[in-house]
Amino acid sequence: MLRSGIYYFRQDVKSTDGKYKSIRISLRTKDLSTALRRLENMKKFMRDYDDLTPEEQADFAKYYSGGEFSQIENTTLEKLRNKDMLVGFFYDQWMAHHADLDELIGTIVENAPIIDLCKKGMPDSALERYNKTWQAATDTIQARALLDLRMQNDSGARNKFNGVMGFLKDSVQYASWEEYVASKEEKTPVVMQPVLPVQQPESQCPQHTIREVMEDMFEQAKTKKATCDSRRLDIENMVKAVGCNLEDGYSKINNPEIISKICQWIKNRTSKNGTPIKNNRKNKMLGVLKLLVLHAEEMEPEHYKSAPLTRCIKTLRKDTKGNTSGYHGFTSEMLSNIFDPKHDFFKNYPEQFIACLIALFSGSRTNAATTLQFKNIRLLDGLYVIDFLEDHDKKQLKTEESERSLPIAQQLLDWGFVDIIKQRQEKINAKPKQFIFTKMNEYDDKKASNSFIKSFHRFLREIGIENTSQERYSFHSFRDTVSKKLEVVGVSDDMAHKLVGWKGVGTRSEYYLKRTQNELKEAADKLIYSEEELHLGYWKPIILEHYVNQEKYPTPKGRKPNKKQD
């Protein structure tokens, strides 16, 4: 039988319990004629061994192990009590002692340069490299297995093998795949010697600048102007990090060492205030660098080789989804600063104000707070509730516990939250499935909530709430703010889990801590914020006017959302 390119001897034998089992012993070759010859020997081994007495079987083992039976440890024989295992073991011993030593070493020497060249990226075809590496490795493994058995008791074989391997290790066989193929076709011996780098005359090397390669890449790919501007800035910063500029010749960075330095700079890059940059952003820069070196090879395939360079560009691990452990809750002073009437942000973005209130009185995550539909605000058992459900492509709740019907806190009801939402629905004659935030209807991607909330994050930085290496602040910080608030007002951990939508721990939390809507309402009503923190009295008439009639108050110019195509 043939497995992974190697021929095996296979036979069904009867064990001591009367059941038949299949045994397989490697014939250690992929050549059919050699396998057939060894197969006949193996069959003869099996027949001869069956006919022998225990004493004769010991002599059989001694003979076929090359006369070294006495040096085989008894523990090894104790593990090989089955006939098939014994025969296979002694057959390997016999093959190792009777195989041609020079042929075994020659197999390893012959395949070493093939593996070495494939590691260097030659030939260019990845499939061809895989096939040649696999074939060379298979031959090498089979030859090395027999050599290891041979060298256990043959010091001459060990010395010869070590000498050849030492010479092979310090030598470079071939400079290219073509040179190797030519040497095989001519069948002339190859002198092992280090290959010195060939310095081509300066005139033969193309004089493309980095900018020329970059602009040609943009032109060929027909990239959008905004994308081109972003990638152009990334490439400029990358080459500047290694002491180059866009007007330098591309050959300056056409070097694995330089590319490795650029990759290391990207890996260690931080923002202007010293906070780490997410790996997703770093991977985009690595992707732009890879596109650049690949396009250079397309322009000058004879002079610019991308394979040695792209091997240096390794993608970083993706940022863990939902990893929000670094976020901190807003302090009372921060809330007062965010909702301070001196800022015009919420006048220009009234939907952001309502989204913030939803998060502050529910502890919901960004996606849950910004993707609510008009149908999600309703009466349930005589109480107004907000349904946080994953019933739309844009809704991506993190856990099952996040899906819940949460009673609206009394302070939010008194402010007029439900009335404002209803007035907006009537104003635009909206269907129940429409989003309560008009901007969410315009975004046509699964990360619509992130796009929606970007302006709020910019606002935080503008008013001085910055991220540091120790503390991070974003819309998600409202969730931590609610958590601390519930702890301060004495709400139990189990009730807090139900309100905020956390996953409880243990069977008790999962099966037995059910809460009624009235119990949840009582706990939610404890979420009370001072006028100094939220300035709700000041903002109510402004948000009512700007949210309900937002078509009269256009949003300040900024990045336009990706709208649906009709």
Side-chain angles (χ1 to χ4, degrees):
M1 62 179 292
L2 185 66
R3 294 184 64 191
S4 301
I6 303 298
Y7 286 96
Y8 280 75
F9 166 69
R10 181 178 182 274
Q11 183 179 2
D12 293 331
V13 296
K14 191 174 183 180
S15 58
T16 54
D17 58 1
K19 296 182 180 179
Y20 282 88
K21 65 176 181 177
S22 178
I23 64 169
R24 289 189 298 269
I25 302 175
S26 173
L27 297 175
R28 300 191 181 280
T29 182
K30 63 179 181 179
D31 179 67
L32 179 59
S33 60
T34 304
L36 291 174
R37 186 174 67 253
R38 293 181 179 179
L39 178 61
E40 291 302 319
N41 288 335
M42 179 62 74
K43 289 180 178 179
K44 183 176 183 302
F45 272 35
M46 298 292 284
R47 289 194 300 268
D48 292 347
Y49 193 82
D50 283 341
D51 297 335
L52 299 178
T53 64
E55 292 78 11
E56 292 171 330
Q57 287 177 353
D59 292 334
F60 174 93
K62 180 178 180 180
Y63 175 77
Y64 282 113
S65 63
E68 302 293 342
F69 175 71
S70 59
Q71 298 183 20
I72 300 176
E73 298 180 2
N74 291 331
T75 55
T76 303
L77 294 177
E78 289 175 1
K79 296 177 182 178
L80 304 173
R81 294 195 178 277
N82 294 334
K83 176 187 68 173
D84 55 297
M85 297 180 68
L86 277 168
V87 172
F89 174 76
F90 290 125
Y91 182 64
D92 281 349
Q93 293 278 343
W94 179 82
M95 284 180 60
H97 284 83
H98 290 81
D100 189 307
L101 179 62
D102 292 333
E103 182 180 345
L104 294 177
I105 297 178
T107 299
I108 298 176
V109 172
E110 181 181 352
N111 287 289
I114 299 177
I115 297 175
D116 181 64
L117 285 172
C118 290
K119 286 182 178 180
K120 294 178 181 179
M122 296 176 282
D124 291 336
S125 170
L127 179 60
E128 190 176 354
R129 288 199 304 273
Y130 170 80
N131 290 333
K132 292 187 179 298
T133 302
W134 180 81
Q135 293 171 5
T138 300
D139 291 343
T140 301
I141 291 171
Q142 298 300 318
R144 185 60 191 265
L146 294 177
L147 270 172
D148 287 342
L149 290 173
R150 177 76 168 266
M151 291 188 295
Q152 287 179 2
N153 302 305
D154 189 342
S155 58
R158 185 185 303 107
N159 294 334
K160 186 173 184 178
F161 175 75
N162 291 337
V164 173
M165 289 300 103
F167 177 66
L168 183 65
K169 182 178 181 181
D170 297 332
S171 304
V172 179
Q173 295 276 331
Y174 306 100
S176 68
W177 182 258
E178 291 73 16
E179 181 181 334
Y180 171 76
V181 173
S183 69
K184 301 298 289 184
E185 291 175 350
E186 296 171 5
K187 299 186 181 301
T188 56
V190 179
V191 178
M192 295 183 182
Q193 57 182 357
V195 177
L196 299 176
V198 179
Q199 296 183 352
Q200 297 182 350
E202 189 69 24
S203 58
Q204 296 182 4
C205 185
Q207 296 299 316
H208 294 297
T209 65
I210 300 173
R211 185 183 297 278
E212 289 173 348
V213 176
M214 176 183 67
E215 296 299 340
D216 190 68
M217 175 182 72
F218 293 152
E219 183 179 351
Q220 295 297 327
K222 298 181 179 179
T223 312
K224 293 181 180 179
K225 184 180 183 304
T227 305
C228 287
D229 293 342
S230 174
R231 292 180 176 180
R232 187 179 290 108
L233 181 61
D234 283 344
I235 294 174
E236 184 177 2
N237 290 332
M238 284 188 279
V239 298
K240 190 183 294 184
V242 291
C244 301
N245 60 68
L246 296 180
E247 306 308 325
D248 288 335
Y250 177 80
S251 56
K252 269 195 172 184
I253 64 171
N254 187 40
N255 184 306
E257 184 178 351
I258 298 298
I259 296 298
S260 296
K261 288 182 178 180
I262 293 176
C263 293
Q264 188 63 35
W265 174 79
I266 294 174
K267 182 179 178 180
N268 298 332
R269 193 182 177 201
T270 59
S271 62
K272 292 181 180 180
N273 58 8
T275 57
I277 296 176
K278 290 185 177 181
N279 285 351
N280 292 343
R281 174 70 181 101
K282 294 177 181 178
N283 283 335
K284 286 184 179 180
M285 295 188 68
L286 292 171
V288 172
L289 179 61
K290 189 172 184 178
L291 289 174
L292 184 70
V293 300
L294 289 173
H295 186 75
E297 184 181 34
E298 291 180 6
M299 292 179 64
E300 295 290 344
E302 295 297 325
H303 298 89
Y304 301 143
K305 299 296 182 183
S306 63
L309 306 183
T310 54
R311 282 198 293 272
C312 303
I313 306 173
K314 298 180 180 179
T315 304
L316 303 176
R317 178 184 295 178
K318 291 184 179 180
D319 297 304
T320 305
K321 183 178 180 181
N323 181 16
T324 56
S325 58
Y327 289 116
H328 283 63
F330 295 120
T331 63
S332 180
E333 291 75 15
M334 288 180 176
L335 289 177
S336 181
N337 187 12
I338 292 171
F339 294 95
D340 196 318
K342 69 181 180 181
H343 303 308
D344 292 334
F345 177 75
F346 291 126
K347 292 180 183 178
N348 297 324
Y349 298 92
E351 292 184 340
Q352 303 274 350
F353 184 90
I354 295 176
C356 291
L357 291 189
I358 292 172
L360 268 174
F361 286 95
S362 68
S364 56
R365 297 180 176 88
T366 305
N367 181 271
T370 58
T371 57
L372 291 174
Q373 298 162 290
F374 286 107
K375 67 175 184 177
N376 297 140
I377 299 170
R378 63 187 180 97
L379 273 172
L380 176 64
D381 297 335
L383 299 174
Y384 275 109
V385 299
I386 299 177
D387 290 330
F388 294 101
L389 305 173
E390 191 168 353
D391 54 356
H392 192 280
D393 289 342
K394 294 181 182 179
K395 296 183 178 183
Q396 301 169 18
L397 302 185
K398 186 176 180 181
T399 63
E400 292 182 3
E401 288 72 20
S402 299
E403 283 200 319
R404 64 200 189 281
S405 294
L406 182 66
I408 300 176
Q410 192 61 44
Q411 187 180 17
L412 190 57
L413 284 174
D414 294 341
W415 180 75
F417 171 77
V418 175
D419 294 334
I420 290 177
I421 299 299
K422 284 185 176 181
Q423 288 186 46
R424 175 60 181 170
Q425 185 177 9
E426 293 173 0
K427 175 72 176 179
I428 62 175
N429 194 25
K431 296 179 181 179
K433 290 186 178 180
Q434 284 185 238
F435 293 101
I436 66 173
F437 300 134
T438 305
K439 291 293 183 184
M440 289 301 299
N441 294 307
E442 298 177 355
Y443 291 104
D444 189 30
D445 56 75
K446 291 186 177 180
K447 294 184 178 180
S449 58
N450 293 338
S451 302
F452 174 79
I453 215 67
K454 274 184 178 179
S455 56
F456 176 73
H457 291 157
R458 288 195 296 268
F459 169 64
L460 290 181
R461 310 302 170 241
E462 290 172 0
I463 63 176
I465 301 179
E466 298 276 358
N467 289 331
T468 67
S469 58
Q470 301 296 326
E471 298 179 355
R472 299 167 61 195
Y473 296 98
S474 73
F475 188 89
H476 192 89
S477 297
F478 286 124
R479 186 170 172 82
D480 194 66
T481 303
V482 173
S483 172
K484 292 179 180 178
K485 190 79 170 178
L486 292 173
E487 184 179 358
V488 170
V489 298
V491 175
S492 67
D493 289 344
D494 295 327
M495 180 61 78
H497 285 184
K498 298 297 181 182
L499 283 175
V500 181
W502 283 319
K503 185 176 182 179
V505 180
T507 304
R508 176 172 175 264
S509 174
E510 184 174 358
Y511 295 104
Y512 301 110
L513 293 180
K514 307 300 181 183
R515 301 294 183 181
T516 65
Q517 288 297 316
N518 288 327
E519 289 175 325
L520 292 171
K521 170 68 173 170
E522 183 181 349
D525 287 346
K526 293 182 180 180
L527 289 171
I528 301 175
Y529 299 90
S530 67
E531 181 66 19
E532 290 74 19
E533 289 176 322
L534 304 188
H535 306 278
L536 292 179
Y538 171 84
W539 286 112
K540 182 175 180 178
I542 297 175
I543 298 303
L544 174 62
E545 172 63 21
H546 284 69
Y547 172 69
V548 175
N549 305 297
Q550 56 188 272
E551 287 76 17
K552 293 168 53 179
Y553 307 95
T555 303
K557 291 184 179 181
R559 183 176 178 182
K560 296 181 180 179
N562 297 321
K563 294 186 178 182
K564 294 182 179 179
Q565 301 295 324
D566 296 330

